[in-house]
Amino acid sequence: MWERVVQDGCWALWLVCACYLVVVYITSRGLIGAPRYRLFQARVHDCRARAAILAATISSASVDSADSADSVAKSAVLKAINERLDGFGVGGQVVWRLLPQRAVIAIPLSKLAAAWRALHHAETQLLRLEGPEEIALRSLTLRLRLASDPDPVNNSLGTQLAAHAGDAPAERALLIAATEELHRQEDEDFEREYEHQHIALWLALTGIAAVLLLGLALDHRLSMLLGGLGGFLSPLIGVMRSQRPTSWGVLVLAPVGGALAAPGGLLLVRMLADPELNLLGQVFLHNSWGAPAQPISLAVALLFGFSGTLFSRLALAATGQLVPTSGRTARPGPPSRP
């Protein structure tokens, strides 16, 4: 049975890698960006509602007031904001794209980050057009939010807002400045997170290519599959045990790293079990690199995929054996026979 599995292991490895590529694509283009994009859509609808209210207010004020120049300027700004909001649905910006089968959501993270910056700019422009009552309400809401913020810089913004409460021009200016600062922090945090996701996804794609190449060159396809299984189980068990939340990058990279660590770990075991070193014993000498289809070898591959610490410890042990002989105490050899 094992011989048949090993013989078909090439096809199994290709199939697993192809399926995992699909998972990586869905993760990078859908699962990571979808929650953030749903929030983006909600904020766009909120901006449209605010713009509609402002349009009605400006039109009524232009009828009752003789100062029409200010109303014309506000109407022009509001028109530009509406055009900007309408542009979010154009194909050149952020698009909620579905495949014909409606099975995969594709959201480019780079476009999403740029769209959030444009939306924040539109929200700031709306603050310049809103009335004093709305500005006072938003200033109070922001002060309550900043009061519980652990960042001292944000706390100081809340203190400055509270100090100028009631002074309409100063309160509006401080509200716009505080909002722009919070938007800048939010954009930088998410862009930094997106950059980490891009790095993790690039490493995952490169690792999958390395798995396929090693699978073709080496007779360790089954051990690589079990290493990938161990890499998948490691964060899964961590989440089930309610440990600290695992990032998308760790979830994506863990199976790929486990698949690559399995044959490397078996080679390290074979090195440390060599009779000239004899650090692991004879049982690992015959159940490691030279016999990857043996049950003990497969179990060791699973452990290497599950635990990156195990691989690093054995790698450090192997590195210690590469120190020049003059820098180490000579190991006593077996007594010579007469």
Side-chain angles (χ1 to χ4, degrees):
M1 178 180 178
W2 287 112
E3 289 77 12
R4 182 176 180 182
V5 173
V6 173
Q7 183 179 1
D8 298 334
C10 181
W11 295 103
L13 185 64
W14 277 91
L15 180 61
V16 170
C17 289
C19 294
Y20 198 73
L21 280 174
V22 176
V23 172
V24 169
Y25 176 81
I26 295 175
T27 301
S28 63
R29 308 282 279 188
L31 296 179
I32 296 176
R36 185 73 173 155
Y37 185 73
R38 293 191 184 100
L39 179 60
F40 174 82
Q41 280 189 317
R43 293 274 284 271
V44 169
H45 290 313
D46 180 60
C47 285
R48 290 184 186 278
R50 291 169 61 185
I53 295 173
L54 284 173
T57 304
I58 291 172
S59 62
S60 62
S62 62
V63 174
D64 300 336
S65 176
D67 187 8
S68 60
D70 185 57
S71 299
V72 171
K74 290 183 178 180
S75 298
V77 174
L78 193 60
K79 180 181 178 182
I81 294 174
N82 284 323
E83 291 177 353
R84 188 59 169 167
L85 295 176
D86 293 337
F88 290 133
V90 180
Q93 300 201 18
V94 179
V95 185
W96 188 260
R97 295 191 311 229
L98 299 176
L99 294 181
Q101 294 80 7
R102 295 182 178 271
V104 179
I105 301 171
I107 304 173
L109 296 181
S110 57
K111 290 185 178 181
L112 185 58
W116 268 104
R117 283 193 175 272
L119 178 61
H120 286 157
H121 179 72
E123 290 177 341
T124 304
Q125 294 300 320
L126 287 174
L127 289 176
R128 303 178 187 275
L129 303 178
E130 289 178 335
E133 294 182 358
E134 185 67 22
I135 291 297
L137 178 61
R138 292 188 179 276
S139 177
L140 177 60
T141 304
L142 186 58
R143 291 203 307 269
L144 293 175
R145 171 188 169 186
L146 294 177
S148 59
D149 198 308
D151 191 348
V153 176
N154 294 340
N155 276 328
S156 65
L157 290 175
T159 303
Q160 294 180 24
L161 280 173
H164 293 81
D167 186 0
E171 188 174 21
R172 183 189 297 271
L174 284 174
L175 177 62
I176 293 174
T179 302
E180 288 182 345
E181 174 62 21
L182 293 177
H183 285 167
R184 182 191 64 80
Q185 295 177 9
E186 182 182 355
D187 292 334
E188 289 181 354
D189 290 342
F190 277 101
E191 287 173 1
R192 191 179 304 112
E193 180 183 351
Y194 292 156
E195 183 66 23
H196 292 164
Q197 303 300 339
H198 288 148
I199 294 173
L201 294 170
W202 181 86
L203 290 174
L205 293 175
T206 308
I208 291 175
V211 168
L212 290 175
L213 291 176
L214 290 176
L216 292 176
L218 303 177
D219 192 19
H220 286 261
R221 291 180 288 272
L222 190 55
S223 61
M224 296 176 75
L225 289 174
L226 287 175
L229 177 61
F232 172 77
L233 291 176
S234 179
L236 175 63
I237 294 177
V239 172
M240 292 176 63
R241 294 175 59 185
S242 300
Q243 295 179 353
R244 60 183 180 180
T246 304
S247 64
W248 279 113
V250 173
L251 293 175
V252 170
L253 284 176
V256 180
L260 293 174
L266 290 177
L267 186 58
L268 289 177
V269 168
R270 174 61 180 82
M271 172 187 172
L272 296 177
D274 191 90
E276 295 185 3
L277 298 177
N278 197 22
L279 295 179
L280 295 180
Q282 293 294 319
V283 63
F284 291 106
L285 178 63
H286 305 290
N287 293 277
S288 56
W289 179 262
Q294 295 298 322
I296 295 180
S297 298
L298 296 177
V300 171
L302 180 65
L303 290 177
F304 275 113
F306 181 83
S307 175
T309 307
L310 176 61
F311 183 86
S312 62
R313 287 181 178 178
L314 278 185
L316 290 175
T319 303
Q321 301 304 315
L322 299 179
V323 177
T325 307
S326 59
R328 294 186 303 168
T329 303
R331 297 176 56 92
S336 59
R337 295 182 180 180

